[in-house]
Amino acid sequence: MDRYEPGQIEPKWQRVWEDARAFYVDNPDPSEPAQREKFYMLEMLPYPSGDLHMGHVLNYTLGDVVTHFRRRHGFVVLRPMGFDSFGLPAENAAIRGGGHPREITERNIAAIRAQMHRLGWAIDWDREVSAHQPEYYRWTQWLFLKFLEAGLAYRKAAPVNWCPRDQTVLANEQVIDGRCELCGCEVEARNLEQWFFRITAYADALLDDHAMLDWPERTKTIQRNWIGRSEGAEVLFRVDELDLDLPVFTTRPDTLFGATFMVLAPEHPLVEQLAAGTEHEQAVSEYVKHTAARSTEERETKEKDGVFTGRYALNPATGEPVPVWVADYVLMEYGTGAIMAVPAHDERDFEFAERYGLRVVRVVEPADGSDEEPGSAFVEHTENELLVNSGRFSGQPAPEAARAIVDWLGERGRGRAAVRFRLRDWSFSRQRYWGCPIPIVYCDACGIVPVPEDELPVLLPDVEDYRPKGIPPLASNQEWLHVPCPRCGGEGVREAETMDTFVDSSWYFLRYCDPHNDQAPFDRAIADFWMPVDQYIGGIDHATGHLLYSRFFVKVMNELGLVGAREPFARLFHQGWVRLGGTKMSKSRGNVTAPDQLAEMYGADAVRLFILFMGPADQDMEWTDEGVEGIARFLRRLWRIVNEVAQQPVSGEPGDGPLARKTHATIAKVTDDIGRRFVFNTPIAALMELVNELAPAMSDPAARLAGETLVSLIQPYAPHIAEELWQRLGHERLWEHPWPVADEALLERDTFELVIQVNGKVRDRLEISADLPEAELIEQAKASPRVQAQLDGKEIRQAIVVPRKLVNFVV
RNA sequence: GCCGGGGUGGCGAAACUGGUCAUACGCGCCUGACUUAAAAUCAGGUGUCUCCUUCGGAGGCGUAAGGGUUCGAGUCCCUUCCCCGGCACCA
């Protein structure tokens, strides 16, 4: 028998699959009813940064197992691949002197594509797309124009996150703990004119439609926190002297009678007007200036401070004037940028009131009369709290009072129920080069003018210098920049900013459906056949970025009639991090084990098996080189045993002996684990068990069945060795062979092992006929000498019988 | 602080709806076979303590800690500790 040589058989079968176009799939013919059920398998597309790492291997191997498993269950499986190829790393590499970003990117794509082929993943390469190709970004631009038309893309000046190193604006989602997600330096707040997508208009839909998604609970929770929906009321506080109303947002309208002062954010537009003409005018203006110079971090950690404006507003409930203060613990970005302060029931307001000697009035008390420190914490908003000092609402339970007070305010035009979100609109313009150009022309006469659809794409031009200088690099290309206004023909200037790469990846799964369409981003009928993605796999780090943006995009596209789906990803799975020495594997940490090097040493099949055998795929795992050795050993064992089986003459029926039963139990286990439980490590263990059972039983009549089943079941994990062994067993084209079905009759046995417990402890086990009546069963159990020793003449108080499992004697 | 997920052998981990001496499968380690030797391969062993003269048995204790429910708990409930992730001056 020849040796197992993955280096020989793996390229061989990869060529066979390619020649047979095994994993390419045609779009449905609209004139014919679909023959088979579709399955859209998708993994998050890679950023082409250089090489694949083990995290990618895990991600795409998971997808590959599911792809094979579904294909062999008769589904038409769409499993495409592409590249998220715009973005800063390539541009920064270009600046460091690596050539044009396009060259760097395309070189990296070629390298990754080769690695993907080497690992034998079943991908439909006819559908490959890359974000930086004009054929793709033409439609990214087209979609932008549709969003603009619908009023869902707009340009406005707003405080935004500015990364001083990368010299660009970042979305809130790209700022982690106040730092740039990419370069790690602290971001600054800047007031700049930027492009935004109106994702906030979909805040409720994004929350509500979680109900239709089979997603991990923690991912939904992360999105829920990020969107941050709060229910409450908007209440107007009147400043009579100036004849203006100050709106505040509160989640606790029941505490309105306890609002003894107001606080405005220093950035609040009315601050200046309020303080004007009072003796505090000077102090207020200094405080505002001082705050602007404070860092976000200082603002969050220092003791609360503020200044009085010299003005009073009327509490609409009590009718009493309350002082209006300015303090930077109130944030302009949230609510209305002004609050009613209830020091008795809010820690922050209490701290502030203590410091400045402001009045504290308790308005909510526990119904049981127990005492609480004022301001120690916001009281629970439950039926167990009653209002006090609240006029005609005194004595009412808090939740009921909240509703009644809002109604009462409504009647008098002083307030209404309101909902606020933490989510901000998505700022997506970037002051950098390597991204999708925004198809806009600015014209002095016409303002912001969209580039007409038939002039798309606006091609990304070459520039002399990519270096970030605060102004977009594209602006340096004068020839490109100056164009006639598409509307009036007068002098126009192109938008020189580019789009956030998250825009590119917010619709790529739709382009895969119809990747060569040059009339539209995709044909709706085709997209409606494939969408939604049935199984999406990728990192949880995209929970508030890509996974939120894509949902938003699909919702908008649905409303624009472009697609029937309302959600992009029906089912979602997150693979864990692959770690080495305790830290996440990454290039920057230098602790990367190169997948292709390992594939060279052990074969792609061993790498694929091991990455899934290490542990549950959704859990972080620690990489060990010894582990791969173990898997390689297993594959050699499998190779030897199946080759031996193949050389034996084909015998008669497998029968119903232990090996035949074990074989069918393995089919059931592997099928259930992959199909229903979506776990991938235990099937490998089950296959190892079957190998261990087959090895000493080569002359068993079921040996051939066991061997063939092993090969068939391992195919999704290790397709090359499986195909080779399948051929040696005298068959062909395992990749399209139906998945084996367990014989229920062989899973059921006519005898079973009865476990006998005394007081819950196992004392003996007996092989018992399955149809034995209960009374007989108890007698037999009692007769066991080991049980007798335990019973030892004691009285049996109760005998619990679990059918086909155990008897428990209680003494 | 609030929300979500975890804690099982020397290690990665099994035990899926409470029911087979918990620890499958693999790694590591130990012993043996083959070999001049090594690698590879093959066979066996591997939670812990106690007892029996042995081969081999018998028994106690063990799933972060403590308590509870149950005939029976790694699995359910309560309390505490620790780890990971998200949000957080969000009114």
Side-chain angles (χ1 to χ4, degrees):
Chain A
M1 182 199 313
D2 54 341
R3 277 182 51 200
Y4 170 50
E5 302 268 17
Q8 302 287 314
I9 63 169
E10 291 182 353
K12 167 184 157 187
W13 287 105
Q14 285 164 12
R15 212 170 309 118
V16 170
W17 297 327
E18 196 58 38
D19 290 346
R21 292 181 58 80
F23 308 119
Y24 291 74
V25 56
D26 292 329
N27 277 333
D29 181 343
S31 63
E32 279 175 37
Q35 297 290 305
R36 293 182 293 159
E37 209 178 324
K38 70 94 181 177
F39 191 90
Y40 190 171
M41 174 63 234
L42 185 68
E43 304 100 291
M44 290 182 186
L45 84 177
Y47 179 83
S49 61
D51 288 296
L52 287 186
H53 55 73
M54 279 300 160
H56 289 123
V57 175
L58 173 57
N59 194 167
Y60 301 128
T61 302
L62 277 168
D64 213 50
V65 171
V66 175
T67 298
H68 285 299
F69 185 81
R70 290 286 170 175
R71 282 177 44 86
R72 292 185 54 201
H73 273 88
F75 290 83
V76 191
V77 180
L78 172 60
R79 204 285 187 101
M81 186 56 71
F83 299 93
D84 190 15
S85 49
F86 271 138
L88 267 187
E91 187 173 342
N92 288 339
I95 292 165
R96 286 195 301 272
H100 192 282
R102 184 179 295 109
E103 288 164 21
I104 295 171
T105 300
E106 291 184 350
R107 200 160 57 223
N108 287 345
I109 288 176
I112 292 178
R113 202 190 287 120
Q115 291 178 309
M116 289 178 157
H117 277 105
R118 176 71 191 85
L119 283 154
W121 289 323
I123 292 164
D124 181 346
W125 286 106
D126 275 357
R127 294 171 185 265
E128 179 187 338
V129 300
S130 287
H132 77 287
Q133 293 166 336
E135 303 80 51
Y136 183 83
Y137 70 69
R138 169 184 179 185
W139 299 110
T140 308
Q141 294 176 342
W142 185 88
L143 286 167
F144 160 81
L145 294 179
K146 294 292 153 194
F147 277 54
L148 185 70
E149 242 169 65
L152 295 167
Y154 64 93
R155 190 164 170 86
K156 92 167 188 202
V160 290
N161 311 295
W162 177 263
C163 172
R165 183 168 316 158
D166 288 334
Q167 294 277 310
T168 185
V169 165
L170 299 172
N172 285 0
E173 289 78 5
Q174 291 163 323
V175 179
I176 315 288
D177 292 331
R179 292 178 177 277
C180 169
E181 180 183 54
L182 288 172
C183 76
C185 68
E186 202 169 328
V187 302
E188 300 165 3
R190 283 203 184 179
N191 208 21
L192 291 171
E193 200 164 282
Q194 288 294 304
W195 283 101
F196 291 90
F197 281 127
R198 207 178 295 280
I199 190 171
T200 51
Y202 290 79
D204 269 321
L206 289 167
L207 283 174
D208 295 345
D209 288 347
H210 274 154
M212 60 196 271
L213 298 179
D214 183 4
W215 280 24
E217 205 44 54
R218 58 184 173 139
T219 313
K220 291 187 189 178
T221 304
I222 290 170
Q223 291 201 340
R224 212 177 293 123
N225 288 345
W226 186 260
I227 295 167
R229 186 180 201 273
S230 303
E231 272 184 44
E234 197 169 289
V235 181
L236 298 178
F237 279 63
R238 179 150 190 86
V239 182
D240 269 336
E241 293 170 277
L242 300 177
D243 188 28
L244 54 85
D245 282 325
L246 287 174
V248 301
F249 175 71
T250 177
T251 54
R252 294 295 304 275
D254 51 317
T255 64
L256 183 55
F257 284 82
T260 52
F261 59 101
M262 284 188 72
V263 188
L264 270 58
E267 298 84 358
H268 198 287
L270 293 177
V271 165
E272 202 182 328
Q273 190 187 342
L274 278 166
T278 74
E279 54 181 304
H280 302 272
E281 185 172 3
Q282 185 64 26
V284 168
S285 118
E286 267 166 31
Y287 181 79
V288 170
K289 230 183 284 169
H290 185 62
T291 303
R294 274 175 176 157
S295 72
T296 322
E297 204 180 334
E298 189 194 346
R299 214 172 143 161
E300 278 171 15
T301 48
K302 69 167 177 58
E303 207 183 329
K304 292 186 182 21
D305 58 20
V307 287
F308 180 42
T309 59
R311 299 284 176 188
Y312 291 83
L314 296 180
N315 179 324
T318 62
E320 285 170 20
V322 298
V324 180
W325 286 66
V326 175
D328 65 2
Y329 80 91
V330 173
L331 307 174
M332 193 57 221
E333 309 90 81
Y334 189 78
T336 63
I339 61 158
M340 62 177 219
V342 185
H345 304 293
D346 182 277
E347 273 180 84
R348 297 152 300 174
D349 297 345
F350 184 70
E351 186 190 331
F352 195 78
E354 284 268 277
R355 178 161 184 182
Y356 294 104
L358 296 160
R359 213 152 61 91
V360 178
V361 178
R362 293 186 68 173
V363 290
V364 185
E365 271 180 1
D368 60 10
S370 67
D371 214 23
E372 280 179 49
E373 283 292 302
S376 57
F378 232 121
V379 284
E380 297 294 316
H381 185 75
T382 68
E383 298 291 339
N384 297 327
E385 266 82 28
L386 303 179
L387 266 65
V388 294
N389 301 324
S390 297
R392 60 191 175 104
F393 301 98
S394 292
Q396 285 192 21
E400 191 186 317
R403 286 188 292 273
I405 289 175
V406 172
D407 288 346
W408 179 58
L409 289 170
E411 285 159 21
R412 298 182 300 131
R414 303 310 299 164
R416 57 185 173 81
V419 173
R420 294 282 157 168
F421 297 93
R422 208 197 74 100
L423 183 71
R424 300 273 76 98
D425 275 342
W426 170 15
S427 97
F428 70 92
S429 43
R430 299 289 176 266
Q431 293 67 45
R432 295 296 299 253
Y433 173 72
W434 190 233
C436 175
I438 298 171
I440 286 290
V441 173
Y442 295 100
C443 165
D444 282 340
C446 311
I448 295 175
V449 183
V451 172
E453 273 177 40
D454 58 13
E455 290 177 25
L456 298 183
V458 173
L459 288 170
L460 183 67
D462 284 329
V463 295
E464 301 271 310
D465 187 0
Y466 316 111
R467 255 174 303 172
K469 293 180 291 266
I471 58 150
L474 292 189
S476 67
N477 186 329
Q478 295 298 316
E479 205 182 320
W480 176 84
L481 195 66
H482 296 281
V483 287
C485 165
R487 196 165 291 161
C488 71
E491 269 183 41
V493 177
R494 284 191 190 278
E495 173 61 85
E497 297 183 334
T498 52
M499 293 189 211
D500 181 0
T501 58
F502 278 117
V503 182
D504 309 325
S505 57
S506 288
W507 73 282
Y508 76 105
F509 41 89
L510 287 158
R511 184 66 179 173
Y512 281 149
C513 297
D514 192 14
H516 308 296
N517 196 326
D518 58 6
Q519 302 300 308
F522 52 86
D523 179 84
R524 168 155 181 176
I526 295 170
D528 283 351
F529 173 77
W530 290 115
M531 287 295 287
V533 170
D534 293 279
Q535 179 67 61
Y536 199 33
I537 305 180
I540 196 169
D541 47 326
H542 291 105
T544 58
H546 165 63
L547 287 170
L548 201 59
Y549 296 145
S550 298
R551 295 184 60 212
F552 161 62
F553 255 61
V554 167
K555 293 197 178 306
V556 173
M557 290 165 88
N558 172 271
E559 282 178 18
L560 295 177
L562 297 173
V563 72
R566 279 171 55 205
E567 283 286 342
F569 315 122
R571 215 166 159 236
L572 174 65
F573 182 87
H574 298 298
Q575 81 275 17
W577 296 116
V578 181
R579 292 176 310 192
L580 191 66
T583 50
K584 181 182 152 188
M585 268 195 191
S586 72
K587 223 177 171 183
S588 59
R589 291 190 177 83
N591 61 349
V592 178
T593 304
D596 41 351
Q597 207 178 312
L598 278 164
E600 223 40 68
M601 286 168 70
Y602 300 102
D605 285 338
V607 174
R608 298 166 53 120
L609 269 170
F610 182 58
I611 198 84
L612 293 177
F613 182 61
M614 282 203 291
D618 56 352
Q619 211 166 284
D620 290 359
M621 45 192 102
E622 185 71 24
W623 180 267
T624 59
D625 288 342
E626 295 80 25
V628 200
E629 296 273 5
I631 285 289
R633 204 172 296 156
F634 165 66
L635 283 176
R636 283 194 294 267
R637 206 161 132 84
L638 178 76
W639 176 265
R640 203 190 69 232
I641 287 171
V642 175
N643 268 296
E644 246 175 77
V645 167
Q647 281 156 20
Q648 288 178 358
V650 179
S651 54
E653 289 299 302
D656 61 355
L659 185 59
R661 286 207 304 267
K662 180 70 178 177
T663 302
H664 282 276
T666 306
I667 296 172
K669 164 89 179 149
V670 172
T671 308
D672 188 56
D673 280 357
I674 300 176
R676 180 182 64 87
R677 298 177 65 206
F678 216 69
V679 296
F680 299 87
N681 53 330
T682 47
I684 302 173
L687 293 171
M688 288 173 168
E689 280 186 54
L690 184 53
V691 168
N692 291 344
E693 193 142 328
L694 170 59
M698 294 302 289
S699 53
D700 192 290
R704 191 172 182 90
L705 170 75
E708 292 192 344
T709 303
L710 272 168
V711 169
S712 179
L713 293 179
I714 209 169
Q715 183 267 348
Y717 290 89
H720 311 88
I721 191 175
E723 207 65 61
E724 177 70 25
L725 291 173
W726 191 245
Q727 192 181 50
R728 289 173 184 222
L729 286 162
H731 311 294
E732 54 181 11
R733 297 169 84 93
L734 180 55
W735 70 82
E736 53 189 27
H737 191 78
W739 190 254
V741 179
D743 182 347
E744 291 294 331
L746 283 177
L747 297 179
E748 294 294 318
R749 302 167 56 187
D750 46 9
T751 65
F752 72 99
E753 194 176 45
L754 178 74
V755 173
I756 307 159
Q757 298 179 334
V758 178
N759 285 341
K761 286 199 190 301
V762 177
R763 294 301 171 181
D764 204 0
R765 292 178 294 173
L766 292 176
E767 201 61 28
I768 292 280
S769 160
D771 47 15
L772 207 65
E774 208 170 279
E776 188 96 1
L777 196 135
I778 291 172
E779 281 315 307
Q780 289 219 15
K782 240 188 268 184
S784 150
R786 295 171 52 140
V787 173
Q788 278 298 318
Q790 287 295 325
L791 293 175
D792 191 28
K794 289 174 208 150
E795 190 196 345
I796 295 171
R797 297 218 325 261
Q798 201 185 347
I800 288 147
V801 178
V802 180
R804 303 182 68 89
K805 278 212 174 113
L806 58 78
V807 179
N808 186 15
F809 294 113
V810 186
V811 298

